[in-house]
Amino acid sequence: ASDVYKRQLPAVDILLVLDPVASLNPAADTSVAMIREAIRRGHRPFSVELEGMSLHGGQARAWARPLGLVPD
């Protein structure tokens, strides 16, 4: 089943609004599972905290950071 995601599909930038990354619990936070799955599928996950989001002239902006994971 893992070969299904090796098709030539374009990688997607995914923005997740998260609590501070250092406070995430890999054993309990579904956000970590979403990050892992995005990376597994070849996508590029980014994170932003609520304070890093704003609207300027009707345009959404976010101070996003790329996410990566280290093995458990």
Side-chain angles (χ1 to χ4, degrees):
S2 62
D3 291 336
V4 170
Y5 299 108
K6 293 182 181 177
R7 292 181 276 165
Q8 294 298 319
L9 297 175
V12 175
D13 290 339
I14 299 171
L15 181 62
L16 299 156
V17 180
L18 301 174
D19 291 330
V21 173
S23 73
L24 295 179
N25 177 352
D29 283 308
T30 57
S31 300
V32 176
M34 290 189 291
I35 295 164
R36 284 192 175 123
E37 187 61 18
I39 291 169
R40 187 182 78 78
R41 292 181 182 209
H43 300 303
R44 296 176 299 262
F46 291 82
S47 72
V48 64
E49 293 177 29
L50 191 56
E51 298 82 20
M53 297 172 55
S54 62
L55 277 175
H56 293 277
Q59 193 173 47
R61 295 188 183 179
W63 290 97
R65 297 178 183 166
L67 287 170
L69 293 173
V70 293
D72 293 332

